[in-house]
Amino acid sequence: LNGALLENVFVLLVCILNRMPVFLVGKPGCSKSLAMQLIRSNLRGDTSNPFYRQTVNVIAFQGSESSTSDGILVVFRKAREYQEKNPDVIVVVLLDEVGLAEVSQHNPLKVLHSLMEPPVADPNPIAIVGLSNWALDPAKMNRAVHVSRPDP
């Protein structure tokens, strides 16, 4: 284990358990995806370590230069439906390679602002994790925790 991986796991764990949006940004090799894989494989409810008896279901969106707002909305709709049927599970929308979606001509990330601010009365908001290899537009990150990893 290295320091970057430990910090990434810590930040992701805190943000997911508290359902706070988070963007983890850094060059390839700085353990962004590995940290998310560790969380996915260890938060399995009753089969997990007694300290982490929480179940997480990750619904992923793969960002690309051809991403659209509709694609992001479909993923969030699926997450919301799953959350309603399984209120004891933390649903995480994983926006993988969200930096690629930012350069899409369809401007798919314009829908994120409203999605990152759930209704006040929502007892089970959806956790949002964005992973990117390069910095995002600050206006899109101002509603989330932002962790910028230095070069590995």
Side-chain angles (χ1 to χ4, degrees):
L1 294 175
N2 62 35
L5 177 59
L6 291 174
E7 289 175 11
N8 291 347
V9 168
F10 176 76
V11 169
L12 289 176
L13 183 64
V14 167
C15 289
I16 289 170
L17 291 178
N18 290 292
R19 295 172 175 90
M20 296 169 32
V22 59
F23 288 102
L24 192 51
V25 179
K27 301 267 187 216
C30 68
S31 304
K32 300 178 303 290
S33 297
L34 179 58
M36 193 63 209
Q37 288 173 353
L38 287 172
I39 288 174
R40 285 176 96 164
S41 64
N42 285 287
L43 293 181
R44 300 178 319 268
D46 291 338
T47 61
S48 298
N49 180 309
F51 184 71
Y52 303 107
R53 293 259 184 220
Q54 186 66 52
T55 303
V56 170
N57 182 43
V58 178
I59 299 174
F61 175 82
Q62 182 64 46
S64 72
E65 293 178 5
S66 60
S67 296
T68 64
S69 296
D70 289 338
I72 291 176
L73 290 172
V74 166
V75 169
F76 274 87
R77 194 171 309 118
K78 287 180 185 177
R80 177 62 55 209
E81 289 170 4
Y82 189 90
Q83 184 74 66
E84 289 171 0
K85 293 177 186 172
N86 304 282
D88 294 334
V89 174
I90 295 177
V91 177
V92 179
V93 170
L94 174 62
L95 303 170
D96 200 5
E97 296 296 344
V98 70
L100 286 176
E102 186 170 71
V103 298
S104 170
Q105 66 180 1
H106 306 292
N107 196 13
L109 300 184
K110 66 183 174 189
V111 299
L112 280 183
H113 284 277
S114 62
L115 296 171
M116 288 193 299
E117 293 181 1
V120 176
D122 189 354
N124 293 316
I126 294 169
I128 301 169
V129 173
L131 304 179
S132 179
N133 288 341
W134 56 81
L136 303 172
D137 176 17
K140 291 185 179 68
M141 295 186 302
N142 67 359
R143 289 172 172 81
V145 174
H146 173 236
V147 178
S148 184
R149 300 282 342 145
D151 291 349

